[in-house]
PDB file of all heavy atoms in Angstrom:
ATOM      1  N   LEU T  35      -0.074 -67.011  -5.867  1.00 89.00           N
ATOM      2  CA  LEU T  35       0.840 -65.995  -6.292  1.00 89.00           C
ATOM      3  C   LEU T  35       2.172 -66.590  -6.716  1.00 89.00           C
ATOM      4  O   LEU T  35       2.814 -66.105  -7.765  1.00 89.00           O
ATOM      5  CB  LEU T  35       1.099 -65.078  -5.147  1.00 89.00           C
ATOM      6  CG  LEU T  35      -0.051 -64.101  -4.924  1.00 89.00           C
ATOM      7  CD1 LEU T  35       0.176 -63.199  -3.643  1.00 89.00           C
ATOM      8  CD2 LEU T  35      -0.236 -63.136  -6.009  1.00 89.00           C
ATOM      9  N   TYR T  53       6.413 -61.486  -1.635  1.00 87.00           N
ATOM     10  CA  TYR T  53       7.760 -61.447  -0.820  1.00 87.00           C
ATOM     11  C   TYR T  53       7.293 -61.383   0.555  1.00 87.00           C
ATOM     12  O   TYR T  53       7.910 -61.975   1.545  1.00 87.00           O
ATOM     13  CB  TYR T  53       8.552 -60.297  -1.170  1.00 87.00           C
ATOM     14  CG  TYR T  53       9.022 -60.151  -2.674  1.00 87.00           C
ATOM     15  CD1 TYR T  53       9.196 -59.073  -3.272  1.00 87.00           C
ATOM     16  CD2 TYR T  53       9.105 -61.376  -3.474  1.00 87.00           C
ATOM     17  CE1 TYR T  53       9.664 -59.002  -4.606  1.00 87.00           C
ATOM     18  CE2 TYR T  53       9.629 -61.294  -4.719  1.00 87.00           C
ATOM     19  CZ  TYR T  53       9.753 -60.172  -5.319  1.00 87.00           C
ATOM     20  OH  TYR T  53      10.172 -60.084  -6.662  1.00 87.00           O
ATOM     21  N   GLY T  79      14.283 -55.709  -3.996  1.00 71.00           N
ATOM     22  CA  GLY T  79      13.238 -54.770  -4.309  1.00 71.00           C
ATOM     23  C   GLY T  79      13.246 -53.573  -3.494  1.00 71.00           C
ATOM     24  O   GLY T  79      13.003 -52.464  -3.862  1.00 71.00           O
ATOM     25  N   THR T  86      15.600 -45.546  -6.076  1.00 55.00           N
ATOM     26  CA  THR T  86      14.704 -44.753  -6.957  1.00 55.00           C
ATOM     27  C   THR T  86      14.182 -43.561  -6.235  1.00 55.00           C
ATOM     28  O   THR T  86      14.240 -42.388  -6.823  1.00 55.00           O
ATOM     29  CB  THR T  86      13.498 -45.574  -7.273  1.00 55.00           C
ATOM     30  OG1 THR T  86      13.918 -46.828  -7.857  1.00 55.00           O
ATOM     31  CG2 THR T  86      12.636 -44.891  -8.340  1.00 55.00           C
ATOM     32  N   ALA T  91      14.653 -37.685  -5.770  1.00 59.00           N
ATOM     33  CA  ALA T  91      14.759 -36.540  -5.003  1.00 59.00           C
ATOM     34  C   ALA T  91      15.834 -35.607  -5.515  1.00 59.00           C
ATOM     35  O   ALA T  91      15.704 -34.393  -5.490  1.00 59.00           O
ATOM     36  CB  ALA T  91      15.123 -37.007  -3.557  1.00 59.00           C
ATOM     37  N   VAL T 108      18.746 -17.897 -25.145  1.00 91.00           N
ATOM     38  CA  VAL T 108      19.668 -17.420 -26.033  1.00 91.00           C
ATOM     39  C   VAL T 108      19.472 -17.972 -27.475  1.00 91.00           C
ATOM     40  O   VAL T 108      19.402 -17.191 -28.582  1.00 91.00           O
ATOM     41  CB  VAL T 108      21.123 -17.650 -25.643  1.00 91.00           C
ATOM     42  CG1 VAL T 108      22.137 -17.420 -26.709  1.00 91.00           C
ATOM     43  CG2 VAL T 108      21.363 -16.892 -24.369  1.00 91.00           C
ATOM     44  N   ILE T 114      15.065 -16.133 -33.571  1.00 89.00           N
ATOM     45  CA  ILE T 114      14.099 -14.980 -33.904  1.00 89.00           C
ATOM     46  C   ILE T 114      14.842 -13.981 -34.693  1.00 89.00           C
ATOM     47  O   ILE T 114      14.333 -13.379 -35.687  1.00 89.00           O
ATOM     48  CB  ILE T 114      13.400 -14.459 -32.719  1.00 89.00           C
ATOM     49  CG1 ILE T 114      12.515 -15.742 -32.074  1.00 89.00           C
ATOM     50  CG2 ILE T 114      12.485 -13.319 -32.895  1.00 89.00           C
ATOM     51  CD1 ILE T 114      11.895 -15.287 -30.794  1.00 89.00           C
ATOM     52  N   SER T 125      13.428  -8.749 -48.088  1.00 65.00           N
ATOM     53  CA  SER T 125      12.381  -7.784 -48.498  1.00 65.00           C
ATOM     54  C   SER T 125      13.084  -6.596 -49.033  1.00 65.00           C
ATOM     55  O   SER T 125      12.557  -5.769 -49.703  1.00 65.00           O
ATOM     56  CB  SER T 125      11.491  -7.529 -47.318  1.00 65.00           C
ATOM     57  OG  SER T 125      12.148  -6.856 -46.343  1.00 65.00           O
ATOM     58  N   GLU T 127      15.952  -6.672 -50.706  1.00 86.00           N
ATOM     59  CA  GLU T 127      16.843  -7.079 -51.786  1.00 86.00           C
ATOM     60  C   GLU T 127      15.956  -7.592 -52.861  1.00 86.00           C
ATOM     61  O   GLU T 127      15.181  -8.589 -52.585  1.00 86.00           O
ATOM     62  CB  GLU T 127      17.854  -8.112 -51.441  1.00 86.00           C
ATOM     63  CG  GLU T 127      18.976  -7.671 -50.513  1.00 86.00           C
ATOM     64  CD  GLU T 127      19.908  -6.788 -51.289  1.00 86.00           C
ATOM     65  OE1 GLU T 127      20.066  -6.841 -52.462  1.00 86.00           O
ATOM     66  OE2 GLU T 127      20.518  -5.793 -50.610  1.00 86.00           O
ATOM     67  N   MET T 145      20.446  -6.661 -64.596  1.00 91.00           N
ATOM     68  CA  MET T 145      21.169  -5.362 -64.561  1.00 91.00           C
ATOM     69  C   MET T 145      21.534  -4.849 -65.950  1.00 91.00           C
ATOM     70  O   MET T 145      21.616  -3.542 -66.143  1.00 91.00           O
ATOM     71  CB  MET T 145      22.495  -5.505 -63.848  1.00 91.00           C
ATOM     72  CG  MET T 145      22.282  -5.890 -62.360  1.00 91.00           C
ATOM     73  SD  MET T 145      21.200  -4.638 -61.345  1.00 91.00           S
ATOM     74  CE  MET T 145      22.328  -3.105 -61.215  1.00 91.00           C
ATOM     75  N   ASP T 162      19.095  17.707 -76.865  1.00 53.00           N
ATOM     76  CA  ASP T 162      18.556  19.070 -76.533  1.00 53.00           C
ATOM     77  C   ASP T 162      19.173  19.488 -75.152  1.00 53.00           C
ATOM     78  O   ASP T 162      19.987  18.686 -74.517  1.00 53.00           O
ATOM     79  CB  ASP T 162      16.951  19.020 -76.548  1.00 53.00           C
ATOM     80  CG  ASP T 162      16.470  17.926 -75.734  1.00 53.00           C
ATOM     81  OD1 ASP T 162      17.032  17.626 -74.723  1.00 53.00           O
ATOM     82  OD2 ASP T 162      15.372  17.518 -76.229  1.00 53.00           O
ATOM     83  N   VAL T 164      17.374  19.615 -72.500  1.00 57.00           N
ATOM     84  CA  VAL T 164      16.572  19.140 -71.375  1.00 57.00           C
ATOM     85  C   VAL T 164      17.409  18.598 -70.297  1.00 57.00           C
ATOM     86  O   VAL T 164      17.164  18.794 -69.117  1.00 57.00           O
ATOM     87  CB  VAL T 164      15.456  18.147 -71.909  1.00 57.00           C
ATOM     88  CG1 VAL T 164      14.682  17.579 -70.849  1.00 57.00           C
ATOM     89  CG2 VAL T 164      14.571  18.900 -72.932  1.00 57.00           C
ATOM     90  N   MET T 171      17.257  21.612 -62.411  1.00 58.00           N
ATOM     91  CA  MET T 171      15.917  21.585 -61.673  1.00 58.00           C
ATOM     92  C   MET T 171      16.141  20.672 -60.399  1.00 58.00           C
ATOM     93  O   MET T 171      15.649  21.118 -59.359  1.00 58.00           O
ATOM     94  CB  MET T 171      14.911  20.952 -62.500  1.00 58.00           C
ATOM     95  CG  MET T 171      14.234  21.958 -63.453  1.00 58.00           C
ATOM     96  SD  MET T 171      13.252  21.021 -64.513  1.00 58.00           S
ATOM     97  CE  MET T 171      12.172  20.111 -63.464  1.00 58.00           C
TER      98      MET T 171
END
Side-chain angles (χ1 to χ4, degrees):
Chain T
L35 285 175
Y53 303 152
T86 308
V108 169
I114 292 168
S125 64
E127 290 292 330
M145 293 309 286
D162 50 34
V164 174
M171 275 169 55

